[in-house]
Amino acid sequence: MEKQLQKIDAVLYELIQKEIQRQQDTIDLIPSESLVSTALLEALGSPLTNKYSEGEVGKRYYPGNEYCDQIESLAKQRAKQAFGLGDDWEANVQALSGSPANLAVYFGLLQVGETMMGMALSSGGHLTHGHKVNASGKVFKSVQYEVGIDGKIDYEKVAELAREHKPKIIISGYTAYPLKIDFAKFGEIAKEVGAYHLADISHIAGLVSANCHPLPFPFADVVTMTTHKTLNGPRGAVILAKKELMDKINRAIFPGLQGGPHNHQTAAIAFTLGQVKTSAFLQTQKQIILNAKTLADSLIEKGFNLVAGGTENHLLLVDLRSKNISGMEAQNLLEKAGLIANRNTVPGDPSPFNPSGVRMGSPVMTFRGMKEGEAKMIGEWIDRVITQRENPEQIKLEVVDLCSRFKVPYV
Ligand code: DSN
């Protein structure tokens, strides 16, 4: 097919080219972002976007779904294979992203006003885990647990809170937690109080599928994940649930929360899940962990404090209070140097509006092919920007030079 966008809408084309160049010339340390292949973009940019497929495979509200049915079935089958699941689990791949996926689980399994329990946003939980500004915290009664001042989950405290409030769902899985999660322990706590255990593995789905992080199965009743983080797929989500719960969740997705699934997105999810057992994917997930650890060690060596003392996964939280710089200032200086990391609260932060930390992750640098040597170099640049207060524009020249040796696939 001849390329058309540049001819028809040069303004939009130019903006997309500039964004591609920005991605090429910077190092993306945001642990929830990704770098997809051009093969994936072919599926995502396909004419499947034209089609309506409200309903489920074989039971659609529109005709003409022969191939969309096969594509959605393939995605569901691959979702189960990716995590080694058998007939007692089912998959839904229609949620448009992580937030609707989580809401569908709550609306499917809870009545309005019933109690759910998740980690507070300020401790590394997600908005949809019961924060008061989110539908999850408005529609349901939300109980929030927090990490200790050491940045670690105190499983006994979580159990005590669960015994006190008797939530109907307990959520494990986080957006800013650098340690491994003890899913078995969460399963025990949920069982004791008669709750469902929802594991939201959005951040670590790639690591989990590659056995680089303990699996939430069989300790969870439902597992949600976005597909655009360590899984390295398109924006989207997968819900895995025990067979007897899936009907309720399916109905919460459609007609409860959404209309037709995005078939082009489903195809790209099927592609992503088809890659997870390849040796290249497994190797990349191992390298993500090695790179995060190398970056963490390099920062610790330079005198930075890391929440929880380091990392066991793909991300680290740098506590900047000893460096006399706010999370916002650090984020801005790092961006000038071409290092893209986001400000984040750290345990004990008095206000979420002025966080004292920066969150960093290794997935995108790893997807670009960077290894321990580069991760160490990134740690040195961060130190030069934040501690030595060197001119970030000068450091950016070095960053762009490194980036030129690790091209994003679209330039
Ligand atoms: N925005 C994602 C993150 O950065 O972790 C979570 O939704």
Side-chain angles (χ1 to χ4, degrees), residues 5-196:
L5 185 62
Q6 186 175 16
K7 262 197 262 170
I8 298 171
D9 190 340
V11 173
L12 180 61
Y13 176 84
E14 276 310 316
L15 287 171
I16 294 173
Q17 295 314 302
K18 283 181 179 164
E19 169 58 16
I20 292 172
Q21 197 60 47
R22 187 198 67 80
Q23 291 187 16
Q24 169 58 38
D25 289 341
T26 54
I27 296 177
D28 184 356
L29 296 169
I30 296 176
S32 49
E33 294 189 349
S34 205
L35 185 81
V36 302
S37 66
T38 51
L40 186 147
L41 291 181
E42 284 175 32
L44 192 62
S46 68
L48 290 164
T49 191
N50 297 335
K51 188 74 198 96
Y52 252 119
S53 311
E54 283 177 1
E56 288 177 42
V57 172
K59 289 183 278 180
R60 306 288 191 184
Y61 286 81
Y62 292 84
N65 272 303
E66 183 183 354
Y67 301 110
C68 286
D69 270 1
Q70 289 182 44
I71 289 166
E72 190 171 324
S73 293
L74 190 65
K76 286 162 70 158
Q77 179 200 327
R78 288 180 175 175
K80 283 176 49 173
Q81 275 167 359
F83 297 94
L85 299 175
D87 288 343
D88 45 344
W89 284 79
E90 285 190 2
N92 179 306
V93 294
Q94 292 193 2
L96 300 181
S97 201
S99 295
N102 284 345
L103 286 180
V105 175
Y106 311 145
F107 279 110
L109 303 184
L110 302 185
Q111 299 299 318
V112 167
E114 285 190 317
T115 305
M116 56 179 290
M117 185 169 132
M119 174 121 79
L121 185 75
S122 55
S123 281
H126 191 250
L127 275 173
T128 58
H129 295 177
H131 194 282
K132 60 178 191 280
V133 302
N134 183 262
S136 57
K138 289 178 194 255
V139 175
F140 304 101
K141 184 166 175 253
S142 165
V143 176
Q144 302 259 273
Y145 58 92
E146 294 181 4
V147 292
I149 200 71
D150 60 357
K152 299 181 183 176
I153 297 170
D154 180 336
Y155 290 89
E156 196 35 54
K157 276 207 171 138
V158 174
E160 279 169 22
L161 208 60
R163 286 181 202 121
E164 185 186 339
H165 294 277
K166 303 260 182 312
K168 213 167 158 200
I169 288 189
I170 298 179
I171 305 153
S172 63
Y174 314 104
T175 66
Y177 189 67
L179 302 182
K180 286 187 178 144
I181 302 163
D182 189 341
F183 291 119
K185 192 79 200 154
F186 271 101
E188 264 172 44
I189 298 169
K191 199 165 174 199
E192 185 192 325
V193 300
Y196 295 114

